[in-house]
Amino acid sequence: NTLVSVYASHETGDLFPIRESLIVDGLTTVVAALFGSPLGTCVYCGHPQFKAQGARFYYSFYSWAAFCLLALSGLFAAVNAVVPPYAIAPIILFVGLAMNQDAFACTPERQIPAAVFGLFPPVADWIVSKWPHGATPPPELAAIAHGALLVGLLWTSIAVQIIERKFKHAAVWAMIAAALSAIGLIHQPQADLTFKTFTQGVGGFGTSPCAFAIGYSSQALAFGLLALAQANGSPRVPAPRLDKDDLVDAEELGQSMGRVRSESAVMSGAISPAEQQVQEDVQSATESNECQHAGP
């Protein structure tokens, strides 16, 4: 979500550094894990929506202060007792819609099917969690739901590489999925590093770690053969797609997105020319600092 949020902020003309955002989020997640938190740190989504409502720095600051107060004082329990769940549900829905809006806005049109494909495991996880009457859900559906976020990431990555005709990269992602399946980190209720349940699944061999590892390994083999044929110039395997954005650094691409979006916003009257000038001054100062650090 951090990467999507930073790109979304670039589209509104706010040029935050990509590397710094990702590194800081990673470090804070590690620190939080050392204190027992299972939750990852990320930039909060909805930057374009909040900016459209006039929110500035203090919106995030006040949110942080309120969260710390509730967490340190134990008032979360009181809030949960007073505020019914159906009052919070619309906020969660808005967050989900904002995340998807930002993600699809930053996704190239031809890669949208891959993004949709990656939503299948989380949807399966939600269905399993809401399975009626406490009955046991189908083991095949449960297998897709286990490790849903990681499975969705792997499926999306494989699909994107297929769309871009980069079969070598697709083979690598498929091998990663095979390795994670073999140890039960995905598609299984729990990981098993001893391989005692390697051929055993809730629904039989078809949902076992071995079955999924074989499936992903078969994909990796097929992608490898396609990559080999592609490297040898086979007319039956098209060359990889290469966009001009692939040759541009991520930071430079994000800043370019911000400039284009800001110019469009000025033309449409969404921001004033004065605000545009401030953003250009900040961008110029940032580029000047980068040149100084890069100098001899």
Side-chain angles (χ1 to χ4, degrees), residues 46 50 73 76 167 287:
F50 293 136
S73 63
F76 268 122
F167 300 111
E287 293 176 351

Side-chain angles (χ1 to χ4, degrees), residues 107-174:
T107 302
E109 185 176 353
R110 66 172 179 270
Q111 294 180 5
I112 288 180
V116 174
F117 188 49
L119 295 175
F120 286 7
V123 171
D125 185 37
W126 178 80
I127 294 175
V128 169
S129 67
K130 300 297 182 180
W131 202 257
H133 310 302
T136 302
E140 298 82 5
L141 181 64
I144 297 176
H146 293 314
L149 294 180
L150 190 53
V151 175
L153 173 63
L154 292 168
W155 285 12
T156 300
S157 300
I158 293 173
V160 166
Q161 302 308 325
I162 294 174
I163 293 172
E164 299 299 323
R165 300 197 290 262
K166 298 177 180 179
F167 300 111
K168 183 189 298 184
H169 296 170
V172 172
W173 280 108

